[in-house]
Amino acid sequence: SGHAEERLRDLGLALNVQASLEMERVLELVCRQGCAALRADTVVMWAVEPDDGELRPLEMAGVRRDLFRTRRIPLRDETSVEARVVRRRSPELVQHAATARRSHQLLTVMLRHQCLLAVPLIRRREAVGVICFGSSRNPEAFQERDIAKAELLAAQAMVAMENARLYGEAKGQLEETTALYEIANAVNNKMSAEELAEALLGILRDRLGYDRASVLLCEANS
C-alpha cells in the first residue's frame, strides 16, 4: 500500500510540477507509473470512439505496440472487461482471468493475463475510456483494495488529459492568431498580388509543412 501511494504521488508530481502538457507525454507517464503503483505487467489505456461504437488503444506499457495499435474492441462485446467497465461506468476485478471467461479471450491469451483490473475514465459523468491493468504472473495479483488506487490514478489521468487538451486548443488558437497577424502585416507591406502570394505561402509553410503550394487568382472578365 505504501509503495502504491508513493508511486501515485510521483505521478501527481510528474504531471503537475513538471507541467507536462503534451498529450503523448501525459499518457506515457500515466501508463508507466500505473505499472509501478499496482505492480502490473501491462497497462493499456483505451478511448471510446462514439461514432464507431468501439474502444481503441490510446497508450500502453508492457505491451508490444506493433501488435496492439490497430486493435479495436466493440463496446457491445460482453466478453470484454474493458467494454463492460465503460458501459457500467464502474471498475471490475477479474481474478484467474485465464479460466474465468470474463475477459476478451484473444487479448487474454496474447498478453498471458492471469489477473485483470479495469477502471473507467470519467469526464462529466460520462465514461470516455478505460485503464486496464494486467498481471501475467499471479491470478490474484489485484485485490479489492487495489480498486481505490486504480481509480485515483484514473482521476489523475483525466485531470492531466484535460489540461493537455486545453493547452493544445490554446496553442492552436495562438498559432492561428499569429498567422493572421503575419498575413495582415504582409498585406500592409506588399504592393503587388504576386508579392502578397509569395509572403502568404511563406507564412503557411511553417503551419502546414507542405511540399508544394500555389496561389491561383481569378482573371477578370474570363
Side-chain angles (χ1 to χ4, degrees):
S1 178
H3 171 83
E5 291 174 4
E6 183 180 351
R7 296 284 75 76
L8 291 172
R9 281 196 301 270
D10 288 346
L11 176 61
L13 288 171
L15 294 175
N16 296 305
V17 175
Q18 294 178 12
S20 176
L21 292 174
E22 296 296 333
M23 184 65 76
E24 185 176 346
R25 174 64 174 154
V26 167
L27 299 177
E28 179 188 346
L29 276 170
V30 169
C31 288
R32 193 172 70 237
Q33 292 288 43
C35 273
L38 277 83
R39 300 185 186 277
D41 296 311
T42 64
V43 176
V44 181
M45 295 181 69
W46 299 83
V48 174
E49 293 285 359
D51 295 338
D52 300 328
E54 294 179 329
L55 290 169
R56 66 173 177 86
L58 269 181
E59 186 57 75
M60 59 207 73
V63 176
R64 281 185 56 183
R65 293 173 181 271
D66 58 328
L67 296 178
F68 225 78
R69 277 298 187 189
T70 59
R71 295 286 170 185
R72 297 293 185 270
I73 298 177
L75 285 172
R76 294 183 178 181
D77 189 343
E78 291 292 340
T79 68
S80 168
V81 61
E82 294 90 350
R84 289 197 303 272
V85 164
V86 169
R87 291 198 308 271
R88 299 170 183 172
R89 293 183 297 174
S90 61
E92 185 173 341
L93 171 63
V94 180
Q95 296 179 334
H96 300 273
T99 56
R101 299 185 182 277
R102 290 170 52 207
S103 59
H104 193 287
Q105 186 174 2
L106 177 60
L107 296 183
T108 301
V109 172
M110 280 179 56
L111 302 177
R112 300 178 181 178
H113 280 152
Q114 296 293 320
C115 190
L116 292 164
L117 172 59
V119 293
L121 292 167
I122 303 292
R123 183 173 64 207
R124 301 186 187 95
R125 300 183 180 181
E126 180 184 357
V128 296
V130 58
I131 305 181
C132 188
F133 306 87
S135 173
S136 59
R137 296 167 292 174
N138 183 353
E140 298 181 4
F142 308 127
Q143 303 289 326
E144 291 290 335
R145 61 177 179 271
D146 293 314
I147 293 177
K149 302 168 192 173
E151 288 181 317
L152 176 57
L153 185 137
Q156 288 180 316
M158 281 308 308
V159 171
M161 290 166 63
E162 187 68 8
N163 288 342
R165 183 186 66 81
L166 293 173
Y167 172 76
E169 289 181 358
K171 184 179 179 182
Q173 291 172 357
L174 177 61
E175 290 177 349
E176 290 177 8
T177 302
T178 302
L180 290 173
Y181 171 79
E182 291 176 356
I183 291 171
N185 191 50
V187 169
N188 292 330
N189 295 331
K190 305 300 180 184
M191 298 299 294
S192 68
E194 288 75 13
E195 289 176 325
L196 179 58
E198 183 178 354
L200 174 64
L201 293 184
I203 293 168
L204 294 180
R205 180 182 291 112
D206 293 335
R207 273 76 186 179
L208 302 180
Y210 59 77
D211 294 317
R212 294 176 299 278
S214 60
V215 177
L216 306 179
L217 298 179
C218 292
E219 287 284 358
N221 302 320
S222 71

